Short mmCIF file of all heavy atoms in Angstrom, two decimals:
data_model
loop_
_atom_site.label_atom_id
_atom_site.label_comp_id
_atom_site.label_asym_id
_atom_site.label_seq_id
_atom_site.Cartn_x
_atom_site.Cartn_y
_atom_site.Cartn_z
N LYS V 9 42.20 19.20 6.66
CA LYS V 9 41.86 18.18 5.76
C LYS V 9 40.31 18.31 5.43
O LYS V 9 39.87 17.55 4.58
CB LYS V 9 42.25 16.85 6.33
CG LYS V 9 41.60 16.32 7.60
CD LYS V 9 42.33 15.19 8.14
CE LYS V 9 41.89 14.93 9.56
NZ LYS V 9 42.87 14.13 10.30
N VAL V 17 26.82 26.90 11.94
CA VAL V 17 26.22 26.32 10.77
C VAL V 17 25.07 25.43 11.23
O VAL V 17 24.22 25.02 10.39
CB VAL V 17 27.18 25.45 10.01
CG1 VAL V 17 28.24 26.32 9.35
CG2 VAL V 17 27.75 24.37 10.82
N ILE V 40 33.12 9.75 2.91
CA ILE V 40 34.13 8.61 2.95
C ILE V 40 35.52 9.18 3.12
O ILE V 40 36.35 8.62 3.96
CB ILE V 40 34.03 7.88 1.54
CG1 ILE V 40 32.73 7.18 1.37
CG2 ILE V 40 35.24 6.94 1.42
CD1 ILE V 40 32.49 6.61 -0.02
N GLU V 49 40.36 7.58 17.08
CA GLU V 49 39.89 8.39 18.26
C GLU V 49 38.95 9.55 17.93
O GLU V 49 37.93 9.75 18.56
CB GLU V 49 41.17 8.94 18.99
CG GLU V 49 42.07 7.87 19.64
CD GLU V 49 42.83 7.01 18.52
OE1 GLU V 49 43.15 7.55 17.43
OE2 GLU V 49 43.16 5.88 18.88
N LEU V 51 36.98 9.63 15.33
CA LEU V 51 35.79 9.01 14.84
C LEU V 51 34.97 8.58 16.07
O LEU V 51 33.67 8.69 16.07
CB LEU V 51 36.11 7.86 13.87
CG LEU V 51 36.72 8.24 12.57
CD1 LEU V 51 37.36 7.07 11.89
CD2 LEU V 51 35.63 8.77 11.59
N GLN V 52 35.62 8.04 17.06
CA GLN V 52 34.96 7.45 18.24
C GLN V 52 34.25 8.59 18.98
O GLN V 52 33.06 8.41 19.35
CB GLN V 52 36.03 6.89 19.11
CG GLN V 52 35.49 6.12 20.35
CD GLN V 52 35.18 4.75 20.14
OE1 GLN V 52 35.87 4.04 19.44
NE2 GLN V 52 34.07 4.26 20.70
N ILE V 62 21.06 11.53 17.43
CA ILE V 62 20.43 11.22 16.20
C ILE V 62 18.83 11.28 16.28
O ILE V 62 18.20 11.84 15.50
CB ILE V 62 20.98 9.91 15.55
CG1 ILE V 62 22.22 10.20 14.83
CG2 ILE V 62 19.92 9.32 14.56
CD1 ILE V 62 22.98 8.99 14.31
N GLY V 67 13.90 14.23 14.63
CA GLY V 67 12.78 14.96 15.13
C GLY V 67 12.78 16.42 14.68
O GLY V 67 11.77 16.95 14.20
N PRO V 73 9.81 20.39 5.31
CA PRO V 73 9.65 19.61 4.09
C PRO V 73 11.07 19.19 3.69
O PRO V 73 12.02 19.98 3.60
CB PRO V 73 9.03 20.53 3.13
CG PRO V 73 8.61 21.70 3.81
CD PRO V 73 9.44 21.85 5.06
N ASP V 75 12.51 18.20 1.06
CA ASP V 75 13.19 18.73 -0.18
C ASP V 75 13.41 20.22 -0.11
O ASP V 75 13.96 20.74 -1.03
CB ASP V 75 12.31 18.34 -1.45
CG ASP V 75 10.89 18.82 -1.31
OD1 ASP V 75 10.50 19.35 -0.21
OD2 ASP V 75 10.18 18.73 -2.30
N ASP V 80 20.72 25.39 7.88
CA ASP V 80 21.23 24.84 9.12
C ASP V 80 20.63 23.48 9.42
O ASP V 80 21.38 22.58 9.97
CB ASP V 80 20.97 25.86 10.26
CG ASP V 80 19.52 26.19 10.52
OD1 ASP V 80 18.68 25.76 9.66
OD2 ASP V 80 19.16 26.89 11.47
N ARG V 82 19.86 21.34 7.08
CA ARG V 82 20.56 20.47 6.15
C ARG V 82 21.92 20.14 6.66
O ARG V 82 22.33 18.97 6.62
CB ARG V 82 20.71 21.25 4.80
CG ARG V 82 21.56 20.55 3.72
CD ARG V 82 21.22 19.16 3.27
NE ARG V 82 19.91 19.13 2.73
CZ ARG V 82 19.25 17.93 2.54
NH1 ARG V 82 19.79 16.82 2.83
NH2 ARG V 82 18.02 17.97 1.96
N PHE V 85 21.53 17.54 9.38
CA PHE V 85 21.22 16.20 8.83
C PHE V 85 22.51 15.62 8.27
O PHE V 85 22.66 14.40 8.39
CB PHE V 85 20.06 16.30 7.83
CG PHE V 85 19.68 14.91 7.35
CD1 PHE V 85 19.12 13.99 8.29
CD2 PHE V 85 19.85 14.50 6.08
CE1 PHE V 85 18.79 12.70 7.91
CE2 PHE V 85 19.47 13.23 5.64
CZ PHE V 85 18.94 12.31 6.53
N ASN V 108 41.28 -4.35 4.05
CA ASN V 108 41.41 -4.93 2.68
C ASN V 108 40.46 -4.19 1.78
O ASN V 108 39.77 -4.83 0.93
CB ASN V 108 41.13 -6.43 2.71
CG ASN V 108 42.20 -7.24 3.44
OD1 ASN V 108 43.35 -6.84 3.40
ND2 ASN V 108 41.81 -8.31 4.04
N ARG V 112 40.58 3.49 -3.68
CA ARG V 112 39.51 4.54 -3.65
C ARG V 112 39.33 5.19 -5.02
O ARG V 112 38.21 5.56 -5.45
CB ARG V 112 39.86 5.52 -2.53
CG ARG V 112 38.84 6.61 -2.34
CD ARG V 112 37.46 6.07 -1.92
NE ARG V 112 37.53 5.35 -0.62
CZ ARG V 112 36.61 4.36 -0.31
NH1 ARG V 112 35.66 4.12 -1.15
NH2 ARG V 112 36.71 3.73 0.82
#
Side-chain angles (χ1 to χ4, degrees):
Chain V
K9 65 196 167 196
V17 294
I40 292 171
E49 292 71 27
L51 291 160
Q52 183 90 39
I62 280 176
D75 56 351
D80 59 353
R82 169 61 60 192
F85 185 62
N108 294 328
R112 186 59 62 207

